[in-house]
């Protein structure tokens, strides 16, 4: 079983829909990251969370440390939101610590 | 904003060639990472470096080596490329941010070994 599980693996939505992507993890973490990868490959860091909720434009990320669960929400989705969204966790914040990644959620938003 | 630059977006190399993938960051970050990304396997750590001339093996170091002679540059070397090294390679750097580490990724190099 992966330490980081994302759902769904694939998601298709119509423009304007509210979208939720979920991430569950099985270990204690120091931080959780939401990443976005567009076709062509480059990865952009969207959020870094250790507790609570963060908002940036139409994107909202929440984390529940007790339940080991995070969600990424996209409000008023748009075709340009089509991308792979990846959840990753940091198990510690020392120089030797590293990220553990989920397998990603492929989001397609149709016009 | 921090920029992480990978020298090539696409590369095609022959089996047995020595391949260098270059990554440069412009913000004096100490920690740098090389990942490969494959369908169904996600991102896997090959090597990382937490300072100049320092390196540590990640989860899949076999067939790879790295070089970090200057803080801004972290090179991934495929000593003798093989077809199973065809993949997307991503470089990242990180820096402390309010007690946590923030990551910046490059745009990736899609390597095909024929």
């Amino acid at each position: 079983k992966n330490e980081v599980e994302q759902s769904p693996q694939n998601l298709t939505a119509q423009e304007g829909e509210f979208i939720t992507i979920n991430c569950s993890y099985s270990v204690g973490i120091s931080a959780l990251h939401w990443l976005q990868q567009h076709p062509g490959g480059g990865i952009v860091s969207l959020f870094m969370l250790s507790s609570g909720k963060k908002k940036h434009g139409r994107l909202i990320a929440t984390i529940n440390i007790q339940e080991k669960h995070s969600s990424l929400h996209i409000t008023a989705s748009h075709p340009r939101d089509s991308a792979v969204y990846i959840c990753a966790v940091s198990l510690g914040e020392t120089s030797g610590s590293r990220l553990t990644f989920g397998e990603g959620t492929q989001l397609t938003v149709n016009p | 904003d921090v920029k992480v630059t990978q020298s090539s977006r696409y590369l095609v190399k022959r089996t047995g060639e020595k391949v260098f993938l270059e990554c440069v960051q412009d913000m004096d970050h100490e920690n740098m990472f090389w990942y490969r990304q494959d369908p169904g396997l996600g991102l896997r750590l090959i090597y990382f470096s937490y300072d100049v001339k320092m390196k540590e093996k990640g989860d899949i170091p076999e067939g790879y080596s790295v070089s970090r002679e200057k803080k801004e540059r972290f090179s991934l070397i495929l000593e003798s490329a093989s077809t199973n090294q065809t993949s997307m390679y991503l470089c990242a750097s990180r820096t402390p941010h309010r007690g946590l580490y923030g990551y910046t990724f490059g745009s990736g190099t899609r390597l095909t070994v024929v």
Side-chain angles (χ1 to χ4, degrees):
Chain A
K1 189 180 188 300
N2 290 339
E3 290 179 316
V4 181
E5 297 273 354
Q6 283 185 239
S7 63
Q9 282 190 310
N10 294 282
L11 180 57
T12 300
Q14 287 301 120
E15 184 172 357
E17 285 185 8
F18 181 84
I19 287 161
T20 297
I21 299 170
N22 295 298
C23 176
S24 297
Y25 52 92
S26 56
V27 295
I29 67 168
S30 58
L32 184 140
H33 303 255
W34 280 104
L35 311 171
Q36 182 192 54
Q37 185 174 33
H38 278 281
I43 289 177
V44 174
S45 178
L46 298 175
F47 294 104
M48 178 172 61
L49 295 161
S50 57
S51 64
K53 177 179 175 179
K54 287 190 176 180
K55 185 176 189 292
H56 186 255
R58 295 180 294 106
L59 301 179
I60 302 166
T62 63
I63 188 168
N64 184 317
I65 297 292
Q66 287 73 29
E67 295 190 2
K68 293 185 168 63
H69 181 268
S70 175
S71 293
L72 176 68
H73 305 286
I74 305 175
T75 62
S77 60
H78 189 275
R80 66 175 174 265
D81 296 326
S82 298
V84 175
Y85 292 84
I86 302 169
C87 172
V89 299
S90 299
L91 304 185
E93 295 300 325
T94 64
S95 62
S97 65
R98 56 182 78 174
L99 290 177
T100 300
F101 297 87
E103 289 194 23
T105 295
Q106 173 70 62
L107 170 66
T108 303
V109 182
N110 294 317
Chain B
D1 276 350
V2 178
K3 198 165 181 184
V4 176
T5 303
Q6 293 184 230
S7 53
S8 304
R9 292 297 300 271
Y10 300 94
L11 272 180
V12 180
K13 296 292 182 181
R14 294 197 177 276
T15 300
E17 277 193 71
K18 191 169 186 175
V19 180
F20 293 85
L21 302 183
E22 305 288 346
C23 176
V24 177
Q25 49 95 0
D26 64 359
M27 282 297 290
D28 204 36
H29 288 181
E30 290 182 349
N31 301 162
M32 297 185 74
F33 303 80
W34 274 107
Y35 298 93
R36 66 177 280 178
Q37 185 181 32
D38 301 286
L41 297 175
L43 281 133
R44 294 179 291 166
L45 181 63
I46 305 171
Y47 267 96
F48 67 101
S49 169
Y50 48 87
D51 207 343
V52 175
K53 295 192 187 294
M54 308 297 278
K55 60 186 179 184
E56 284 206 20
K57 293 179 181 179
D59 299 319
I60 50 163
E62 296 79 20
Y64 303 94
S65 62
V66 290
S67 171
R68 185 113 182 255
E69 296 297 317
K70 293 185 178 182
K71 190 179 246 187
E72 67 268 21
R73 186 180 296 269
F74 190 35
S75 302
L76 180 69
I77 303 157
L78 286 65
E79 297 289 344
S80 177
S82 64
T83 54
N84 63 13
Q85 292 178 309
T86 292
S87 187
M88 167 68 85
Y89 290 87
L90 286 142
C91 175
S93 72
R94 74 177 184 189
T95 193
H97 178 71
R98 296 180 183 174
L100 302 175
Y101 277 115
Y103 287 76
T104 303
F105 287 82
S107 55
T109 296
R110 190 168 294 280
L111 172 67
T112 302
V113 182
V114 297

